Amino acid sequence: MAQHGGGSTAEARLLEQARAGDRHAFATLVHDAAPALERLATRMLGHRHDAEDATQEAVLYAWRRLESFRGDARFSTWLHRILVSRSLDALRRRRDVEPIPADVPASVAAPESVVEGRDLEPAVRDAIDDLPPVQGVTLLLRVDHGLPYGEIAYVLGTTRNAVRVNLIAARKRLALRLRGTVDLGDPEAAS
C-alpha cells in the first residue's frame, strides 16, 4: 500500500476507509491533529470560541472534500492548510494586512525561545497578534508546531523562500516591538 506524503501505512489505510465513507476512520485521522489545530487557531484568532468554530469548519470541509486530498503531504498537514486558510480569511476580514517589506535584513533577532510554550508573556502574545496574519501564522507553524519550511509552504500555499522571508520579517517585527520588554537573546542570531 502506498504511503501518502510521508504518512504511515496506517494513515493510508485509514484514508482509504474514510474515502469509502467510514466516519470512524476519518475521526481517527482527525483525532491526533485536533489539539494542534485548535491551539493554532486559538493563537491565530485570539478567541477560543472562534478557534473551535474554525477547527470544526476545517474538519467538516476536509470530510466533504476528502476525495480532493491528493496525498502529497501528510493528512494532518492538509488539515493545517485548510484551517490556516479559513483563519487567515477571518483575520483579513478583521483588519488590514500590511505588506511584507522588501528590504528586510537577513540577520535579525530570533525570539523563538520567548514564543515557545503555551503561557506566553502578555507582551509577546500582543506582539504576535499585531503581526500581519501571514507572518504570525508562519512564525507559529515554525516555532509552536515545529513544522519544517516545506510543510509550512504547503500549508500556506506558498514557496519555501516566502516562508523564510515571512519568518525573517516576523522575527524583525517582534524584536523591534519587544526590545527592552523581553530578553530576545543575541540580536545578530540568524534564522
Side-chain angles (χ1 to χ4, degrees), residues 135-155:
Q135 289 177 15
V137 73
T138 302
L139 183 69
L140 291 172
L141 288 170
R142 178 68 178 161
V143 175
D144 194 42
H145 293 265
L147 294 182
Y149 284 28
E151 284 190 44
I152 296 170
Y154 177 84
V155 167

Side-chain angles (χ1 to χ4, degrees), residues 23-47:
R23 291 177 187 250
H24 179 72
F26 182 76
T28 301
L29 286 167
V30 169
H31 181 265
D32 291 338
L37 292 172
E38 286 185 18
R39 189 172 71 240
L40 177 61
T42 301
R43 293 261 176 101
M44 287 182 70
L45 300 172
H47 303 287

Side-chain angles (χ1 to χ4, degrees), residues 9 19 30 35 50 75 77 79 81 105 111 113 120 122 133 162 180:
T9 302
R19 283 183 170 138
V30 169
D50 292 345
F75 180 76
T77 303
L79 279 175
R81 182 178 189 160
S113 62
L120 298 176

Side-chain angles (χ1 to χ4, degrees), residues 17-88:
Q17 294 168 349
R19 283 183 170 138
D22 184 339
R23 291 177 187 250
H24 179 72
F26 182 76
T28 301
L29 286 167
V30 169
H31 181 265
D32 291 338
L37 292 172
E38 286 185 18
R39 189 172 71 240
L40 177 61
T42 301
R43 293 261 176 101
M44 287 182 70
L45 300 172
H47 303 287
R48 185 172 178 87
H49 178 73
D50 292 345
E52 289 170 353
D53 287 348
T55 303
Q56 286 179 343
E57 286 178 23
V59 169
L60 183 60
Y61 180 86
W63 171 251
R64 290 179 177 160
R65 302 278 305 196
L66 193 55
E67 288 302 319
S68 71
F69 176 58
R70 296 184 313 251
D72 53 354
R74 292 179 305 163
F75 180 76
S76 62
T77 303
W78 185 61
L79 279 175
H80 273 83
R81 182 178 189 160
I82 295 166
L83 176 75
V84 166
S85 176
R86 299 226 181 274
S87 298
L88 286 173

Side-chain angles (χ1 to χ4, degrees), residues 7-22:
S8 69
T9 302
E11 180 179 285
R13 197 171 322 129
L14 287 168
L15 277 167
E16 277 183 35
Q17 294 168 349
R19 283 183 170 138
D22 184 339

Side-chain angles (χ1 to χ4, degrees), residues 84-85 87-97 133-134:
V84 166
S85 176
S87 298
L88 286 173
D89 287 345
L91 287 171
R92 284 184 188 109
R93 286 189 296 270
R94 284 190 201 167
R95 64 183 181 199
D96 294 332
V97 179
V134 172

Side-chain angles (χ1 to χ4, degrees), residues 91-140:
L91 287 171
R92 284 184 188 109
R93 286 189 296 270
R94 284 190 201 167
R95 64 183 181 199
D96 294 332
V97 179
E98 295 177 43
I100 299 170
D103 61 344
V104 176
S107 177
V108 295
E112 280 84 353
S113 62
V114 177
V115 177
E116 290 173 348
R118 297 184 196 278
D119 297 324
L120 298 176
E121 293 183 35
V124 176
R125 192 177 309 112
D126 290 345
I128 292 171
D129 289 345
D130 286 344
L131 289 172
V134 172
Q135 289 177 15
V137 73
T138 302
L139 183 69
L140 291 172

